[in-house]
Amino acid sequence: MNVITLLDMARNCFPDRPAITSGSRHFTYEDIFNLSGAAAQQIRNSEIENVSLVDISSPALPIALFASAWAGKPFAPLNYRLSSSDLTGLLDRISPALVICGQNYLNQIRPSSKLHQISSEHWLSPPRSEADHPQDWNSDPEETAILLFTSGTTGGPKAAILRHRNLFSYVTGSVEFMSAGPQEAILTAVPPYHIAAMANLLSSIYAGRRIVQLPNFDADTWIDLVIKEKVTHAMLVPTMLTRIADRLEARRETLPTLTSVSYGGGKTSRPVVEKILNLLPHTNFVNAYGLTETSSTVSILGPKEHREAIASDNPVERSRLGSAGLPLPTVEVSIRDRQGREVCPGQSGEIWVRGDQVSGEYKERESQLTSDGWFKTNDGGHFDTAGYLYIEGRLDDVIIRGGENISPGEIEDAILTHSKVVDAAVVGIAHRDWGEQIAAVVVLRQGTEASQDEIIEHVRSKLRSLKSPDKVLFRDELPYNPTGKLLRNVLREELAGS
């Protein structure tokens, strides 16, 4: 059980089928396999413990992942947007290492005797002969396949360990082997250091779907690439989905080849989902919820549920557009209180997850799994009576006002129903009497105006007065990291002195 097996199976069935499109460059499954084999031999000949990538998405990415697996070394893609000192700090934690660098990032890495640097372009140039391949690979499912550093929005990055069995379980439990037709292509714009990029790469290879890489996201470029490459599938984070919806509306594009879009990685506003469903009525939409520590998706809201919700006049069914759908059959999901007891539908608590794809491990730390295999996600949520999962945000973000716990997500959802609002974030800021007070940061639709009182009254019409904001500030945009996570800590710091 080694992720290289996924590529080996695919190239044995369709060696000449296109696997990767990156700009004007095209690689078949046989190309990727041979390049990975030659690179694996290079890794085995070096005295390293890990393989890292500091670069945007390029053909170097799949070859680095599969070569690492073939050579029996963990693969650790790093955030190329980090400062030189931050990158050095992460590399120190995985040294001795081979570091594959994009041309623009070679100077970001400080020289070290424990680091062997190679450019991404040079990485793509080993010979393609099978004679250069190692004869076998380690099939121990407990070996580490990937190390992914968390985004560190509330603290220092942790290196999540994903073993071959975790990733193998996710892929084989989510995708049928060679299920993609020869004309299918998926457009991916998520950076390599995100779990969605890793999961998409492995599952697309296993399905036999061509991967079209977009290294730097821009909504118009994304739309143009869908048209040019006749893209059938796409994966997006919420900020991308919002920008694409706006540009599709402005350009009046319909994207007839696009049959399926999955989105996730952060909270997506219901108005945005409703808008893009109306703009692309022929496209199947899937909302996916998962974590790095769970090897990606653990629950999905599928195309059928999207269509039923958008067509329904029932408020409960309509609200499911804001849910994360139903847990995958291969995963158990439970909502627990602070004592670890399961709560009833409708009650909020912490989301716990269990299954073969769940790792719950970090380098340099003990396993975070409970004795019976549950991983505590630190995400708040609840099930409705039909079993649909609703994500309420990180438990660290819960506002404690006057001794009562208040979910920011619930207030954000209420604000986003205002016709003038396109984005909103709610955080707690220190208050002498109440402990914390509720601050809302709102982005208005272009060309509109609204007052603080208008937003507060709108929330009061939807929720109890205790949950209405104490103050409302207006901004042109909210701070997000490159993978679509709202940076609440940035807002808290900004608002602390206001």
Side-chain angles (χ1 to χ4, degrees), residues 152-430:
T153 57
T154 57
K158 301 188 295 289
I161 294 172
L162 298 178
R163 301 185 185 277
H164 287 281
R165 64 174 170 81
N166 302 134
L167 295 163
F168 215 88
S169 174
Y170 167 72
V171 172
T172 57
S174 306
V175 182
E176 291 186 20
F177 177 58
M178 286 288 111
S179 56
Q183 303 306 315
E184 290 189 21
I186 184 166
L187 176 55
T188 177
V190 180
Y193 53 83
H194 193 278
I195 181 57
M198 295 292 97
N200 171 69
L201 173 56
L202 292 170
S203 57
S204 296
I205 290 288
Y206 188 64
R209 186 174 295 120
R210 178 169 64 101
I211 299 168
V212 180
Q213 295 179 321
L214 177 59
N216 296 297
F217 175 77
D218 169 81
D220 284 305
T221 305
W222 186 92
I223 294 168
D224 292 340
L225 204 50
V226 169
I227 297 168
K228 177 187 175 184
E229 295 291 342
K230 296 181 171 57
V231 167
T232 58
H233 293 64
M235 176 188 62
L236 301 164
V237 298
T239 49
M240 295 175 183
L241 192 72
T242 301
R243 292 168 189 169
I244 289 167
D246 290 341
R247 294 306 301 151
L248 285 173
E249 185 176 47
R251 291 173 52 161
R252 300 184 180 180
E253 296 281 3
T254 58
L255 305 182
T257 66
L258 192 63
T259 59
S260 179
V261 171
S262 62
Y263 62 96
K267 190 175 180 62
T268 308
S269 73
R270 274 179 54 193
V272 169
V273 177
E274 292 173 356
K275 179 178 180 178
I276 202 156
L277 283 171
N278 289 321
L279 287 168
L280 300 175
H282 62 283
T283 302
N284 291 323
F285 283 85
V286 174
N287 181 17
Y289 164 70
L291 301 94
T292 300
E293 296 88 345
T294 63
S295 308
S296 192
T297 306
V298 297
S299 71
I300 61 168
L301 184 74
K304 180 174 178 285
E305 289 88 350
H306 275 82
R307 291 197 172 95
E308 288 176 348
I310 196 70
S312 178
D313 294 326
N314 184 317
V316 174
E317 292 180 357
R318 186 91 176 185
S319 71
R320 285 179 184 151
L321 280 179
S323 80
L326 302 170
L328 295 177
T330 54
V331 177
E332 295 176 82
V333 179
S334 176
I335 308 296
R336 306 289 180 102
D337 64 18
R338 290 182 178 180
Q339 286 72 44
R341 298 171 300 202
E342 200 161 34
V343 302
C344 298
Q347 281 188 268
S348 296
E350 183 176 10
I351 300 172
W352 290 26
V353 184
R354 181 168 68 177
D356 287 341
Q357 73 181 62
V358 178
S359 163
E361 293 183 80
Y362 303 103
K363 183 178 171 64
E364 305 153 344
R365 298 189 182 200
E366 294 182 357
S367 172
Q368 302 299 298
L369 299 180
T370 65
S371 59
D372 51 355
W374 288 98
F375 176 65
K376 304 176 186 180
T377 67
N378 196 38
D379 282 340
H382 70 272
F383 282 118
D384 69 10
T385 54
Y388 286 84
L389 177 65
Y390 290 77
I391 313 301
E392 298 174 357
R394 302 294 285 172
L395 293 179
D396 296 340
D397 296 328
V398 168
I399 301 166
I400 305 176
R401 185 181 189 275
E404 179 165 346
N405 290 356
I406 299 170
S407 166
E410 185 180 13
I411 303 171
E412 289 163 358
D413 286 342
I415 295 172
L416 287 166
T417 62
H418 194 295
S419 60
K420 297 178 183 178
V421 175
V422 294
D423 205 359
V426 171
V427 297
I429 55 176

Side-chain angles (χ1 to χ4, degrees), residues 61-83:
L61 170 61
I63 294 162
L65 170 59
F66 289 119
S68 301
W70 198 330
K73 303 295 182 181
F75 175 55
L78 300 182
N79 184 348
Y80 51 84
R81 295 180 172 95
L82 293 175
S83 67

Side-chain angles (χ1 to χ4, degrees), residues 3-19 28-33 66 137 176-179 201-209:
V3 296
I4 186 64
T5 308
L6 303 174
L7 174 61
D8 187 36
M9 292 170 67
R11 74 102 187 191
N12 279 325
C13 287
F14 298 108
D16 298 325
R17 178 178 285 195
T28 66
Y29 280 87
E30 189 73 20
D31 290 335
I32 298 297
F33 184 82
F66 289 119
W137 48 76
E176 291 186 20
F177 177 58
M178 286 288 111
S179 56
L201 173 56
L202 292 170
S203 57
S204 296
I205 290 288
Y206 188 64
R209 186 174 295 120

